[in-house]
Amino acid sequence: MIFKTILSGLLWVGTALTVTQPAAAQDYPTRPVQLIVPYAPGGQGDITARLIAQHLSPALGQPVVVENRPGANGSIGSAFVAKSEPDGYTLEVVVQSHVLGKALMPNLTYDPVKDFAPISLMTRTQLGLVVPASLPVKNLQEFVAHVKQHPGKLGFASAGHGSNAHVFAEWFLDTADLDMIHVPYAGSAAAHPDLISGVATMAFDTLASVKGLVSDKRLKLLAVAGAERHPEFPDIPTIAESGFADYDASSWSALLAPAGTPNEIVDRLNKEVVAVLAREDVAKRLASLGATIVASSPQEAAETMNVEVERYTDLIGRLKLAQ
């Protein structure tokens, strides 16, 4: 009788654990989900996050609330997410500069890879080299010649120290043997007025952010930074085509959760995000912004982040960009 009682109790506990453990994941979500964007409004990460949230909310049956927490090249928002409860209710949309954190800021309070659970890569976005429309150059070769006539006197704008815009620009300056002054701004959109007016002479920015300014002829797009020409700008050559064969840089966006988030929740979010990215209207909207969809598994996202850490740690060390 005692044995049967103990056995019955053990079976009850086991059954309770079996039922209770996945219940949170099965019921997820039961309240609003917070989607952190660690950058200023108007940039690649912000535009992508808001588009995804719009369609992810009905898929999850709960509001997905986008919140911008910019500053320190995304580290303020990312630190908040890294320390959040790993329950699927605090997520983050990041761009490639996220994985540069440790290389740029050795005293960072979190690890850009180990402290996060990747859910999916979402887009790959080309950056373009833009200059004021008033600058008397027609192509990248003429721009390089112009800068070499004014060494150390012309400034280039970026979305902040360590941003993709900064690192890609420094990489190009090193490749082309140019000397320019870095002028960081609080986000790429904040730099546009000075770039349009000619206070800043050059910037690397996402095609999504500058497309309208290029169309309105307020900025000139001289080259795109990736390996291939972009279909939105088929007449604009790549930097490699313009005489700098070893240059190939593009950005991506990814959806992350804090490390330790249950696999069931990560898989649910991955399924829903991949479905959102498969929508024709979403694909068209992202394409119009210069982005290519690269929906991935959590494992593929993790592999990409690890590869990028190695690649850009070497580059940042060589260019001496660490703070």
Side-chain angles (χ1 to χ4, degrees):
M1 179 66 69
I2 294 174
F3 174 76
K4 287 183 178 180
T5 301
I6 293 173
L7 180 61
S8 177
L10 289 173
L11 289 172
W12 182 88
V13 170
T15 302
L17 286 173
T18 301
V19 172
T20 303
Q21 287 292 343
Q26 288 175 354
D27 295 341
Y28 172 86
T30 58
R31 53 188 171 86
V33 175
Q34 187 179 31
L35 183 57
I36 301 298
V37 178
Y39 318 108
Q44 174 199 358
D46 181 66
I47 293 171
T48 303
R50 293 182 186 280
L51 180 60
I52 295 301
Q54 175 186 343
H55 297 285
L56 188 58
S57 180
L60 293 176
Q62 291 289 339
V64 177
V65 183
V66 177
E67 180 183 343
N68 294 86
R69 291 198 175 210
N73 192 32
S75 63
I76 292 174
S78 292
F80 172 80
V81 175
K83 294 175 175 59
S84 295
E85 191 69 25
D87 55 10
Y89 290 97
T90 303
L91 309 176
E92 180 179 33
V93 169
V94 300
V95 298
Q96 186 181 35
S97 58
H98 172 81
V99 299
L100 312 183
K102 273 292 185 184
L104 289 164
M105 298 173 281
N107 296 323
L108 206 64
T109 59
Y110 62 89
D111 188 292
V113 174
K114 295 178 182 178
D115 289 339
F116 296 87
I119 295 168
S120 178
L121 293 175
M122 296 190 294
T123 63
R124 189 168 295 278
T125 306
Q126 286 237 36
L127 274 72
L129 188 158
V130 290
V131 301
S134 59
L135 197 70
V137 299
K138 298 185 186 70
N139 52 49
L140 191 57
Q141 292 90 341
E142 290 185 7
F143 172 75
V144 169
H146 177 76
V147 174
K148 287 190 174 182
Q149 290 172 1
H150 306 86
K153 295 181 180 178
L154 303 177
F156 74 92
S158 84
H161 184 91
S163 63
N164 286 333
H166 177 212
V167 174
F168 290 177
E170 293 280 11
W171 183 7
F172 173 70
L173 296 180
D174 180 69
T175 302
D177 192 26
L178 299 179
D179 181 11
M180 297 184 74
I181 302 167
H182 177 216
V183 185
Y185 290 79
S188 64
H192 291 165
D194 283 351
L195 191 60
I196 292 168
S197 68
V199 172
T201 305
M202 179 269 282
F204 274 69
D205 205 343
T206 60
L207 298 182
S209 295
V210 300
K211 180 182 177 181
L213 299 174
V214 172
S215 297
D216 293 343
K217 300 188 184 308
R218 288 186 281 174
L219 293 178
K220 290 179 188 176
L221 177 61
L222 298 184
V224 293
E228 300 176 349
R229 296 191 183 198
H230 195 275
E232 288 283 313
F233 302 96
D235 297 330
I236 304 299
T238 66
I239 289 176
E241 286 179 313
S242 301
F244 305 96
D246 295 332
Y247 192 94
D248 175 10
S250 60
S251 183
W252 44 257
S253 67
L255 182 65
L256 309 179
T261 299
N263 290 336
E264 295 91 343
I265 291 178
V266 169
D267 291 341
R268 167 75 190 282
L269 287 167
N270 176 266
K271 175 185 174 182
E272 301 296 358
V273 169
V274 169
V276 169
L277 292 170
R279 291 173 58 106
E280 186 177 354
D281 56 339
V282 171
K284 285 183 177 178
R285 174 62 175 152
L286 288 171
S288 74
L289 296 171
T292 302
I293 291 174
V294 286
S296 75
S297 69
Q299 294 74 23
E300 289 168 335
E303 289 170 6
T304 294
M305 291 174 66
N306 281 314
V307 168
E308 295 281 83
V309 165
E310 287 189 24
R311 179 188 185 191
Y312 284 98
T313 295
D314 291 342
L315 177 67
I316 288 165
R318 182 167 61 79
L319 298 180
K320 299 180 172 57
L321 300 182
Q323 291 180 318

